Amino acid sequence: MTQKDHHIIISLASNYQQEANMDAARTQLVQLLSEVHFTQAIYTEPIHSLRKEPYLNQLCKGTTALGRNLLSEVLKEIEKRLGRTHNEDGIVAIDLDLLEYDGERYHLRDWERSYVKDLINEL
């Protein structure tokens, strides 16, 4: 029996030590996924944030044998490992959101954001 490769898109974002945290997240994703491709990383103004620092945003496309729920759990573990907390201070060391899994879209509001619309064309 062969495992099915699931096609996924992940959104990466950071508003704290952006370059270093994005580099660390990319390293983790390359180890986790197959056929990995990253868009360029672009800075955007914060939306509904307590902090004024810009976000660094990027999209990642790849394949995985993991089921959707397990993949989401692994992404949350990577966030924690890289310093993500859910305090009220507005610091986002890294945010990894599963935007698409086998053609099904999640985080629908994110798909309306201009940086997602711009970067999706690079995948």
Side-chain angles (χ1 to χ4, degrees):
M1 184 173 138
T2 61
Q3 291 184 328
K4 179 183 185 330
D5 280 335
H6 302 282
H7 297 271
I8 61 162
I9 298 174
I10 297 169
S11 171
L12 297 78
S14 175
N15 73 353
Y16 175 74
Q17 297 180 347
Q18 297 95 321
E19 300 282 346
N21 284 319
M22 293 290 272
D23 282 345
R26 283 190 292 267
T27 298
Q28 295 286 314
L29 291 173
V30 166
Q31 294 171 2
L32 175 68
L33 306 172
S34 302
E35 302 175 40
V36 182
H37 174 73
F38 293 97
T39 65
Q40 66 176 315
I42 59 172
Y43 281 96
T44 61
E45 292 302 312
I47 303 170
H48 313 301
S49 179
L50 300 173
R51 296 170 56 86
K52 299 297 179 220
E53 288 78 9
Y55 274 85
L56 187 57
N57 297 278
Q58 188 171 38
L59 298 181
C60 169
K61 179 170 100 173
T63 61
T64 181
L66 298 177
R68 187 181 61 80
N69 291 336
L70 181 55
L71 177 61
S72 292
E73 288 177 29
V74 171
L75 293 178
K76 294 306 169 203
E77 284 302 314
I78 292 172
E79 288 179 348
K80 285 182 202 161
R81 195 176 320 136
L82 297 181
R84 175 80 192 262
T85 63
H86 288 281
N87 295 338
E88 298 301 315
D89 56 12
I91 292 175
V92 179
I94 195 70
D95 185 30
L96 301 173
D97 288 334
L98 183 60
L99 291 186
E100 189 173 286
Y101 186 92
D102 282 345
E104 187 169 342
R105 289 184 172 188
Y106 302 93
H107 298 276
L108 297 180
R109 272 187 280 160
D110 289 355
W111 286 93
E112 297 303 314
R113 297 201 170 136
S114 60
Y115 72 87
V116 172
K117 289 179 178 181
D118 291 344
L119 293 177
I120 201 74
N121 295 322
E122 294 183 25
L123 292 178

